[in-house]
Amino acid sequence: MADNSKTEDTASESLEAAKNASNKKEKLADQVMQNPQVLAALQERLDNTSVTPSSYIETFPKAVIRRIDALKKLQVKCAHIEAKFYEEVHDLERKYAALYQPLFDKRREFINGEAEPTDAEAEWHSENEDEEKLAGELKNAVVIDEKAEEANVKGIPDFWFTIFRNVDMLSELVQEYDEPILKHLQDIKVKFSEPGQPMSFSLEFHFGPNDYFSNSVLTKTYKMKSEPDKTDPFSFEGPEIVDCEGCTIDWKKGKNVTVKTIKKKQKHKGRGTVRTITKQVPNDSFFNFFSPIKVSGDGESLDEDSEFTLAADFEIGHFFRERIVPRAVLYFTGEAIEDDDNFEEDEEGEEEFISILS
C-alpha cells in the first residue's frame, strides 16, 4: 500500500509540474503576442506567403500541369487565328473606305464652296427647329441684305481649323502662329494600305495655296502589326501601331514655324571681344506632327520621354482615323464632343454607384 501511495504522490507532482510549465508557456505566448514588433513580423510573413495563381498551379500533379501546357499551346493558335481575323477586318475597312469616299468628296465640295447642296440635300430636321424659326423671324424684322452677306461667304469658313480648336487633344498641339496656316486646310483623308502590302494607314492633309509652304498635301503614315509577339503571344489584343513616318514640308523662306531663330552673345576668351551669333532651335508647333520620332530598327530602346511622345502620336493618328475624319461635321458643331463627355460622365457615375453598393 505504501508503494502505491508513493507512486500516486509522484504522479500528482508530475501533473502539477506539467500544469505549471503549461501556464508559463501561455503567459510567455501572451506577452510575445502583445509585442507590436512581433505582430508586424508575423503579418509580413503571412503577406509574403499569400497564395498566387501560379503557386496554386504548381501544386497540381504533373499530369494536370501537362494538360494546362496543352491548353496554352491551343491559346497561341487562337491568337494567330485572331490576327488573321484583324487582317480581314483591315481589308473590309479598305473596301468600305472606297464606298465612303464619294460622300467625303461631296463633303469637301460643300466645305470649300466648290458646290452648293440642293434643297433635298440640305433638308435637315433640327431638335432646335422652333428656336431657329423664331431667330429667323427676328432676323427678318431687321433690315439686312442677306443676299449680299451670303455672297461673301464661301463654303463653311474655317471648318477643319474649328475642329482643331474644339478637340482638346488637337488644340493642345496648336500654337497661335499655327492658326493662320490651319485656316488653309481644305480636307483630311484616310488611305489604307493596298492588298498584299504590310498593314498601315496614311493621313493626308490637303491645303490650299498659302504663304507658308508649297506642298498641297502633307502626309503621315502609320505602320501596323497584327501578329502575336513570339516572346509573349498572350499579350496580343489586335493590331497595334508600331511606327510612323512623316513627310518633308517645303517651307517658304522665313515661314517655317517649327523652328525659331535666337541670338546669342559670345565673348572671346583672349581678346575679350563680344560677338552676336544667330542660330535656329526647335519650336513648338502642330507641324512637328509631320516629323515624328523614329522607332529604332536595331532594337535599341527609347528613353521615357520619347516613348511617351510616340505613344501620344499614335493615339492622335488613331483618333484622326477613327473619329475625326468619319464624323467631321459632328466635331465641327461640337455634338460629338458632347457625346464623348456624356459617355465619360456616365462611366464615372457608374463607378461611384458601384463603390457605394460595395
Side-chain angles (χ1 to χ4, degrees), residues 171-297:
S171 64
E172 290 172 357
L173 303 176
V174 177
Q175 308 300 319
E176 187 176 351
Y177 38 81
D178 291 328
E179 295 180 2
I181 311 175
L182 289 172
K183 290 186 177 184
H184 292 281
L185 183 57
Q186 297 180 333
D187 198 14
I188 304 176
K189 294 180 179 180
V190 179
K191 295 290 181 71
F192 294 92
S193 53
E194 295 299 322
Q197 297 295 318
M199 186 182 292
S200 67
F201 69 92
S202 297
L203 300 174
E204 294 183 354
F205 295 75
H206 292 251
F207 286 85
N210 61 79
D211 297 330
Y212 297 89
F213 47 74
S214 57
N215 312 63
S216 59
V217 182
L218 300 181
T219 60
K220 181 79 168 282
T221 299
Y222 289 89
K223 299 177 181 180
M224 305 176 71
K225 183 182 78 169
S226 181
E227 60 179 287
D229 191 301
K230 291 180 180 178
T231 59
D232 186 16
F234 302 133
S235 65
F236 181 73
E237 294 182 347
E240 59 178 338
I241 297 172
V242 294
D243 198 4
C244 56
E245 290 182 357
C247 66
T248 300
I249 301 178
D250 299 321
W251 295 100
K252 295 179 181 179
K253 188 176 180 180
K255 297 294 186 177
N256 187 350
V257 295
T258 65
V259 295
K260 60 183 176 182
T261 302
I262 62 171
K263 293 183 178 181
K264 191 175 181 180
K265 290 185 178 180
Q266 288 185 337
K267 188 176 182 179
H268 194 280
K269 291 181 180 179
R271 295 192 297 269
T273 55
V274 177
R275 67 172 182 173
T276 301
I277 63 168
T278 60
K279 65 175 184 177
Q280 288 189 329
V281 296
N283 196 28
D284 290 338
S285 169
F286 164 73
F287 291 91
N288 289 322
F289 179 72
F290 299 98
S291 302
I293 295 172
K294 190 68 181 169
V295 177
S296 176

Side-chain angles (χ1 to χ4, degrees), residues 67-79 81 234:
R67 294 168 196 142
I68 293 171
D69 289 342
L71 294 185
K72 288 182 178 180
K73 195 167 184 179
L74 291 176
Q75 190 63 44
V76 171
K77 291 182 178 180
C78 287
I81 292 173
F234 302 133

Side-chain angles (χ1 to χ4, degrees), residues 7-198:
T7 303
E8 288 177 1
D9 290 341
T10 303
S12 178
E13 288 173 1
S14 298
L15 183 60
E16 188 67 27
K19 284 183 178 179
N20 290 335
S22 177
N23 289 337
K24 285 181 181 179
K25 287 181 180 178
E26 288 179 4
K27 287 180 180 179
L28 182 61
D30 288 341
Q31 290 174 358
V32 170
M33 293 307 292
Q34 288 173 9
N35 188 323
Q37 293 178 339
V38 173
L39 289 173
L42 286 172
Q43 185 61 50
E44 184 178 359
R45 176 173 288 188
L46 287 171
D47 291 341
N48 292 336
T49 57
S50 59
V51 177
T52 62
S54 58
S55 64
Y56 169 68
I57 290 172
E58 288 170 2
T59 64
F60 287 158
K62 288 184 178 180
V64 176
I65 293 176
R66 182 173 176 273
R67 294 168 196 142
I68 293 171
D69 289 342
L71 294 185
K72 288 182 178 180
K73 195 167 184 179
L74 291 176
Q75 190 63 44
V76 171
K77 291 182 178 180
C78 287
H80 283 280
I81 292 173
E82 186 180 5
K84 294 296 292 181
F85 163 78
Y86 283 114
E87 287 178 7
E88 293 193 19
V89 168
H90 189 72
D91 292 337
L92 274 176
E93 285 184 303
R94 184 191 308 107
K95 173 185 174 181
Y96 278 87
L99 300 178
Y100 286 130
Q101 196 53 52
L103 302 177
F104 292 159
D105 289 342
K106 190 173 283 289
R107 177 179 72 184
R108 185 200 69 242
E109 292 174 355
F110 293 161
I111 289 170
N112 297 313
E114 300 167 5
E116 283 295 326
T118 64
D119 290 342
E121 289 173 329
E123 185 179 354
W124 180 258
H125 175 70
S126 171
E127 293 179 0
N128 301 320
E129 196 169 292
D130 293 337
E131 293 178 13
E132 290 176 359
K133 184 178 180 182
L134 178 61
E137 291 173 355
L138 291 173
K139 188 175 179 181
N140 290 333
V142 181
V143 179
I144 297 177
D145 189 351
E146 290 188 348
K147 290 184 178 179
E149 183 182 332
E150 290 178 1
N152 294 326
V153 178
K154 183 180 179 182
I156 303 176
D158 300 338
F159 180 85
W160 292 102
F161 170 64
T162 301
I163 293 174
F164 272 74
R165 202 166 47 188
N166 286 347
V167 178
D168 289 343
M169 186 187 296
L170 302 180
S171 64
E172 290 172 357
L173 303 176
V174 177
Q175 308 300 319
E176 187 176 351
Y177 38 81
D178 291 328
E179 295 180 2
I181 311 175
L182 289 172
K183 290 186 177 184
H184 292 281
L185 183 57
Q186 297 180 333
D187 198 14
I188 304 176
K189 294 180 179 180
V190 179
K191 295 290 181 71
F192 294 92
S193 53
E194 295 299 322
Q197 297 295 318

